[in-house]
Amino acid sequence: MADEVLGVVGAGIVGLAVARELAQRRPGSRVVVFEKEDRVAAHQTSHNSGVVHAGIYYAPGSLKARLCTRGVALLKEYCAEHALPYVECGKLIVAVREEEVPRMDALYGRAVANGVPGLRRVGPEELREIEPHATGLGAIHSPGSAITDYAAVARAFAAEVTAAGGEVRLGFPVDRIEPVGSRVRVASGEETVTVDHLVLCAGLQADRVAALAGDEPGPRIVPFRGEYLRVVNAKAELLQGLVYPVPVPGYPFLGVHFTRRVDNGTAGGGTVEIGPNAVLALAAEGYRWRDLSPAHLARLAAWPGAWRMAARHWRMGALEVYGSVSKRAYMENAQRYFPAIGLEDVERDGAGVRAQALDRDGGLVDDFRIHRLGPITAVRNAPSPAATSSMAIAEHVVEQLLEPLGR
């Protein structure tokens, strides 16, 4: 074990959680994380809402449901031990139309089956007791839903890896993955590192990096940009916690929501964001409309699932684009849930890009998907709640990895 080298591609929160878990489970081994950017947590980890999901949305028995429940407990404990922000501000999932009420009821049943603690249904009056400025026909209240700073958590994971004798190699874009007997050579230009096992946690580049390792083409990663608005005046103080819509069945995005962020480690007085929407990004890391990659679009057009997805979801896609180009349309939708904050109270803020896996048949992959290729483990799909579940995903991946290595 003293000469064992274990590699991880990707220094987002999932990759760093895996690296940390490997360092703890295999003391004496050298863990090396390969990251193409000049910093950790450069993409999805630092461009999300910071919400710690309680496990409400996921199909009972799915890997998502199991790892989210476990991940919440691990993350909460970790933040307490490392003095990282973790605020249980609570969440309301609000129905504003009659046709949403049966979907809310079904969602409540799913959440109960997943063992989400403290969950309850509330009517319009109690909804306003929890969030005085929200409105709706009823809601699901999840008091244990929380907010944190995932980039700070990722940096803490990275510090633990290096403290254990490992290394986080920044500015190392992996361009070749080659078998060397029972081992694996990882290369970036002329620089190479040979490892005994390699875990791919490449996020937005998951399909491209997996292809370097000889994995199958699908699922293909389709990037969706999520844009945020920020409340710029004292009305930010009106929001107590999190206000979400009832999600649309068959659509993997949770809809535009009101989110309080952790500023200086506290909920009160923190920034309030509205979003994200979900528009097809024009580049793998396309944070703006002008970020356009013809090579990326050609590659996407060559994937049969892209056309099938478009045929199924073009109406929803058109609505998302309309909200993207029109701040007024964006806010008209959001104000159905929180009418006290209007167009004059917000400005455009940042954006994130979500790596959405897409099967050949056009299906949007909902659950986590992990492939095993001999000495290589490829995390091919780790969408939300991957940040919440990161420590549990790491446990799951490393348990599978250690079976042939011996404990």
Side-chain angles (χ1 to χ4, degrees), residues 352-403:
V353 181
R354 166 176 169 153
Q356 175 60 53
L358 179 66
D359 274 331
R360 183 178 290 274
D361 65 0
L364 297 167
V365 181
D366 185 53
D367 206 358
F368 298 138
R369 191 172 293 184
I370 301 168
H371 294 179
R372 185 66 180 271
L373 311 162
I376 299 172
T377 299
V379 179
R380 293 296 300 267
N381 188 49
S384 178
T388 299
S389 309
S390 57
M391 298 177 77
I393 294 171
E395 284 185 339
H396 178 77
V397 167
V398 172
E399 284 286 346
Q400 292 186 332
L401 182 154
L402 291 181
E403 288 177 8

Side-chain angles (χ1 to χ4, degrees), residues 3 11 83 95 125 157 164 173 203 206 213 218 226 242-243 255 297 317 327 339 376 381 385 390 393 395-396:
D3 297 326
E125 295 78 14
F157 289 167
L242 311 171
V243 175
L297 294 176
K327 191 167 71 169
I376 299 172
N381 188 49
S390 57
I393 294 171
E395 284 185 339
H396 178 77

Side-chain angles (χ1 to χ4, degrees), residues 9 37 50 74 88 181 190 203 233 250 282:
V9 177
E37 303 294 353
L74 291 172
E88 289 186 339
E190 297 301 314
N233 55 30
L282 304 181

Side-chain angles (χ1 to χ4, degrees), residues 241-267:
L242 311 171
V243 175
Y244 275 62
V246 176
V248 177
Y251 196 60
F253 309 109
L254 297 181
V256 168
H257 44 269
F258 289 76
T259 306
R260 184 170 289 286
R261 304 301 300 264
V262 288
D263 292 359
N264 301 318
T266 63

